[in-house]
Amino acid sequence: MGEHNGRVAVVTGGAKGIGEAIVDRLAAQGATVAIFDIDEAAAARKASALESTGTRARAWKVDVSHRSEVEAAVEAVESQLGPIHILANNAGMIVFDSLLECRDEDWERMLAVDLYGVFVCTQVVARKMIGNGIKGRMVHIGSTASLLPAPQQFAYCVAKAGVRMIGQFAAAELIGHGITSNVVAPMGALTDINRELLSDPAVMEQIEASLPAGRLATADEIAALAVWLCSDDAAYVSGEVIVHDAAKMTHAIWWR
């Protein structure tokens, strides 16, 4: 019997990276997992792999920037798996840009996925939790880029700052229903969205040299915190933005 036995968890962007690590930890603790991801094949493979180990899991192709897709997938989850107890807002993307070079199309897509997607998923799932009388858990994967500007991450910083506020606003509005909402703000980990940039040894060396820990976090380390915030032990923790970077250094040092 795991911590999350009998609970249904929705994880956006759950097929890869931090989202996949969250899925694995929730599954290991007994949760039934609904994987939302724009990569339908990867999501299906992940769900199939989990089911082969005895975990109840399903996958849905969802672009979180489209409300209709989110609403349809949430309805399908409740129909096929049961009421939702946990939402992990992890889906995201990044286009590296500066304020002066940011293109409208990149700005619009970044905010559509990284910010609007979090709003829609939070709103749709919160309404379901309230309607079902579930004292649920929400965790949103933000970034230290929401706290201080990071070079070449203009639109990403703005979007993640918005995610931070959605998480805190949801905490204030939903706690009366017994629903908690927290934000995990990692410095970063090697995942698909930054793999191309970090494949440059010089870039990785510069980043690691700037960090007191001498390395980036792993996706599993970030997931461990996110899943703890979904546990009963964290029932009285809400509205927090927890910096996950080993020393609260954020990105400021990158400008040097």
Side-chain angles (χ1 to χ4, degrees):
M1 298 289 287
E3 167 73 31
H4 296 298
N5 192 65
R7 295 171 181 167
V8 175
V10 169
V11 182
T12 71
K16 301 175 184 176
I18 296 169
E20 182 180 13
I22 292 172
V23 164
D24 286 340
R25 280 189 169 265
L26 286 169
Q29 294 181 22
T32 294
V33 185
I35 302 168
F36 289 7
D37 205 288
I38 197 168
D39 188 336
E40 184 175 18
R45 285 194 300 270
K46 186 63 190 178
S48 178
L50 288 172
E51 290 207 300
S52 71
T53 67
T55 295
R56 194 169 175 226
R58 297 288 188 278
W60 280 269
K61 182 180 185 298
V62 179
D63 182 339
V64 296
S65 70
H66 294 152
R67 177 179 286 273
S68 61
E69 294 188 21
V70 173
E71 290 177 335
V74 167
E75 290 292 340
V77 170
E78 293 217 317
S79 173
Q80 297 179 34
L81 302 179
I84 297 166
H85 301 79
I86 295 167
L87 169 66
N89 268 317
N90 168 78
M93 60 171 292
I94 188 168
V95 176
F96 293 99
D97 56 25
S98 67
L99 167 64
L100 297 179
E101 297 171 352
C102 183
R103 302 180 302 172
D104 284 358
E105 55 265 37
D106 293 335
W107 168 270
E108 290 166 3
R109 183 59 180 159
M110 285 281 295
L111 267 67
V113 175
D114 290 11
L115 183 56
Y116 178 72
V118 173
F119 155 58
V120 169
C121 291
T122 300
Q123 185 185 69
V124 171
V125 173
R127 288 172 173 171
K128 289 292 188 180
M129 287 179 175
I130 293 168
N132 291 320
I134 289 175
K135 296 180 178 180
R137 302 282 183 268
M138 295 188 172
V139 61
H140 318 276
I141 303 303
S143 171
T144 53
S146 72
L147 304 170
L148 285 173
Q152 293 299 309
Q153 295 180 40
F154 168 61
Y156 184 76
C157 287
V158 173
K160 289 299 187 180
V163 170
R164 173 166 52 86
M165 183 51 64
I166 289 174
Q168 291 180 306
F169 201 100
E173 184 168 337
L174 301 177
I175 194 59
H177 298 282
I179 299 168
T180 65
S181 172
N182 292 284
V183 179
V184 175
M187 161 60 192
L190 180 61
T191 64
D192 283 355
I193 69 170
N194 59 24
R195 196 173 304 279
E196 183 177 352
L197 174 68
L198 299 184
S199 65
D200 183 337
V203 172
M204 182 64 88
E205 182 179 351
Q206 178 187 0
I207 292 171
E208 291 180 337
S210 73
L211 300 174
R215 66 173 179 86
L216 291 170
T218 67
D220 187 61
E221 288 169 331
I222 297 166
L225 175 57
V227 172
W228 177 78
L229 289 167
C230 298
S231 72
D232 290 341
D233 287 342
Y236 207 68
V237 179
S238 196
E240 294 297 325
V241 179
I242 303 179
V243 174
H244 188 281
D245 75 349
K248 269 198 172 179
M249 296 295 290
T250 71
H251 291 76
I253 200 167
W254 287 24
W255 288 95
R256 296 179 182 177

